[in-house]
Amino acid sequence: MADVLSFSFSVLSASFLQITRYIGSAYLLWLAWKTAMPKAGGNSDGRAGAGFMTGFVLQFVNVKIMVYGMRAYSAFILPHHDSVAAFLAGMCFLTMMGSLGPIVWAVAGASLQSVFQRHARVTNGLLGAMLVGCAWSLLDQ
C-alpha cells in the first residue's frame, strides 16, 4: 500500500506537501494544548483503557506508519533498486526497524512512568512547548 501511495503522491508532492504542512501544524498546536493543559480528574493509574487489539488495529490505520513507509520507499528503495528481491528485502528491513521504535518507546515509557507522574506539570509543559516548536518549524520552511 505504501509503495502505491508513494508513486501517487510523487506526482502531487508540491501541492500535497503545502496542504499537509498547514494541517500538520494545526494538529501539533492542538496536541500541544491538550498536552500542556490536561483535564483534571483523569485515570489515577494513567491507563487509557485500550487493550492489545485496539493497539494492534491502530497500527494498520496509523498515519505515521503510512508516512514512514511512503517516505522510506520513495527515498531509499525505489530510486536505487528495481528488482523484486530488493523491494522485499527493503520491506523486511523497514518493517523490522519500524517495529523497533514502538518497542523502545514502550520500554522507556514503562521505566520512566514514575518520574513522569511525579513531575507531571513540568513534563506536560515541556512536551507542549516542544510540540509548539515543531509546529513552528513546519511553517517556517
Side-chain angles (χ1 to χ4, degrees):
M1 181 175 161
D3 188 27
V4 171
L5 290 174
S6 292
F7 283 123
S8 302
F9 287 141
S10 65
V11 175
L12 305 170
S13 64
S15 60
F16 180 74
L17 239 130
Q18 193 65 22
I19 293 168
T20 56
R21 183 176 293 151
Y22 291 115
I23 294 171
S25 294
Y27 172 70
L28 285 174
L29 290 173
W30 174 81
L31 195 60
W33 177 260
K34 289 296 207 178
T35 301
M37 307 295 180
K39 288 183 182 178
N43 289 347
S44 60
D45 63 353
R47 296 183 186 188
F52 173 79
M53 285 307 293
T54 303
F56 183 76
V57 170
L58 179 64
Q59 296 310 308
F60 290 101
V61 296
N62 193 340
V63 174
K64 294 182 303 256
I65 292 173
M66 291 180 194
V67 170
Y68 163 74
M70 288 187 295
R71 295 303 300 164
Y73 286 124
S74 64
F76 300 114
I77 296 175
L78 297 175
H80 307 289
H81 304 284
D82 58 357
S83 69
V84 174
F87 178 75
L88 292 175
M91 181 179 64
C92 291
F93 179 75
L94 290 174
T95 301
M96 188 173 53
M97 290 296 109
S99 300
L100 190 61
I103 291 170
V104 170
W105 183 263
V107 169
S111 62
L112 294 172
Q113 182 177 9
S114 64
V115 174
F116 291 151
Q117 286 177 342
R118 269 187 306 211
H119 305 288
R121 178 167 279 165
V122 173
T123 302
N124 290 342
L126 286 173
L127 291 173
M130 285 190 270
L131 285 168
V132 169
C134 289
W136 178 259
S137 71
L138 272 179
L139 294 174
D140 193 35
Q141 292 181 1

